[in-house]
């Protein structure tokens, strides 16, 4: 998954980003609301982690504008405010969840997973397409009795395909979803990861097909 972290505390942002990357996620860090808006204008994110008190404004107004623009990207608010009225107000503005600082990183990761499951309309912790069953939390692909442990980007790429069967993803779109803006990478890297996934999926009833000039799609055989 690709996260946008809008947080001006550089130490906290570094700690959150490092933990999320260890879990296989891509994280772009914006220290101001303006930077956050710029990231959203040029890229797509699965989840936004939003601080409230930022140098250039109030995160609540950012959240309000985000929802008014019909942007349904999930938002988890990170706040030092513990009053019930503040939390209720943020939920009413469109936040999907909130976490009061200081927080445990394991709880933040669990809340991210829960919000993403709810947004996908599913409470299960696995994704099934044909005979392929993916467990994102365990980083395991199961086909019959065979289990394959996936590397981080293999996992995130397969998760992206399995969450949108039948949708064609261009190489540039996949680069955007799998890598942060700080990464130096070419579209050839996508060919490598797709090739690895195809080998893993060979015993299953699904495959990743190539659509010349368009990109890749997950199909059932």
């Amino acid at each position: 998954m690709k996260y946008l972290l809008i947080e001006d505390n550089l130490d906290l942002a570094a700690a959150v980003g490092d933990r999320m990357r260890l879990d296989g996620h891509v994280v772009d860090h914006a220290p101001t609301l303006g930077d956050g808006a710029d990231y959203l204008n040029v890229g797509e994110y699965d989840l936004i982690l939003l601080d409230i008190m930022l140098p250039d404004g109030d995160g609540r107004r950012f959240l309000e504008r985000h929802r008014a623009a019909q942007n349904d990207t999930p938002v988890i608010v990170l706040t030092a405010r513990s009053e019930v009225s503040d939390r209720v107000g943020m939920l009413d503005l469109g936040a999907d969840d909130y976490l009061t600082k200081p927080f445990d990183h394991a709880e933040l990761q669990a809340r991210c997973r829960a919000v993403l499951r709810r947004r996908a309309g599913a409470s299960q912790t696995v994704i099934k397409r044909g005979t392929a069953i993916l467990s994102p939390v365990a980083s395991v692909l199961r086909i019959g009795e065979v289990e394959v442990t996936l590397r981080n980007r293999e996992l995130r790429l397969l998760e992206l395909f399995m969450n949108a069967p039948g949708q064609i993803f261009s190489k540039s779109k996949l680069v955007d979803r799998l890598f942060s803006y700080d990464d130096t990478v070419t579209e050839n890297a996508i060919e490598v990861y797709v090739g690895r996934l195809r080998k893993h999926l060979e015993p299953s009833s699904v495959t990743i097909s190539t659509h010349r000039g368009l990109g890749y799609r997950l199909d059932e055989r």
Side-chain angles (χ1 to χ4, degrees):
M1 295 292 177
K2 188 172 184 179
Y3 296 170
L4 175 60
L5 171 61
I6 306 176
E7 168 63 63
D8 65 323
N9 184 317
L10 299 184
D11 289 337
L12 177 59
V16 170
D18 288 346
R19 287 292 295 268
M20 292 300 180
R21 293 183 188 98
L22 283 175
D23 203 31
H25 302 292
V26 176
V27 181
D28 283 324
H29 170 227
T32 68
L33 294 174
D35 292 330
D38 288 341
Y39 275 119
L40 287 171
N41 284 335
V42 298
E44 293 184 15
Y45 294 89
D46 298 293
L47 181 67
I48 299 171
L49 301 174
L50 175 65
D51 187 20
I52 291 300
M53 302 303 294
L54 289 145
D56 57 342
D58 190 328
R60 290 172 296 186
R61 302 288 77 77
F62 180 94
L63 175 60
E64 191 173 26
R65 292 192 298 269
H66 181 71
R67 293 299 184 225
Q70 304 300 310
N71 192 322
D72 64 353
T73 305
V75 177
I76 296 179
V77 171
L78 309 178
T79 176
R81 299 178 176 181
S82 58
E83 291 81 2
V84 172
S85 59
D86 286 322
R87 302 198 300 268
V88 169
M90 287 180 286
L91 292 172
D92 284 342
L93 284 175
D96 294 86
D97 201 352
Y98 62 86
L99 202 54
T100 304
K101 299 177 183 179
F103 51 80
D104 185 90
H105 288 283
E107 182 180 3
L108 174 60
Q109 290 168 311
R111 286 178 180 265
C112 290
R113 291 192 295 269
V115 164
L116 290 168
R117 287 198 304 270
R118 290 200 301 271
R119 184 52 60 102
S123 60
Q124 70 270 19
T125 58
V126 299
I127 309 167
K128 183 176 181 181
R129 298 286 178 246
T131 58
I133 301 173
L134 178 66
S135 175
V137 175
S139 303
V140 169
L141 169 66
R142 190 167 73 253
I143 303 169
E145 300 299 320
V146 177
E147 288 191 355
V148 179
T149 300
L150 300 174
R151 297 176 181 178
N152 283 338
R153 288 202 172 101
E154 293 174 351
L155 169 66
R156 299 310 165 195
L157 181 58
L158 183 56
E159 185 178 14
L160 187 62
F161 280 125
M162 292 184 70
N163 274 321
Q167 179 176 335
I168 297 177
F169 292 92
S170 67
K171 288 183 182 179
S172 60
K173 172 74 74 174
L174 294 174
V175 167
D176 177 64
R177 298 302 297 273
L178 291 181
F179 298 91
S180 74
Y181 286 105
D182 294 330
D183 292 323
T184 301
V185 64
T186 68
E187 293 183 1
N188 291 337
I190 298 300
E191 296 179 9
V192 173
Y193 289 116
V194 168
R196 291 176 183 172
L197 289 182
R198 282 174 170 158
K199 290 182 179 178
H200 294 322
L201 291 169
E202 280 179 357
S204 77
S205 64
V206 296
T207 187
I208 299 172
S209 59
T210 300
H211 296 262
R212 191 175 298 278
L214 297 175
Y216 301 102
R217 184 176 72 186
L218 185 77
D219 292 317
E220 291 207 38
R221 302 178 197 274

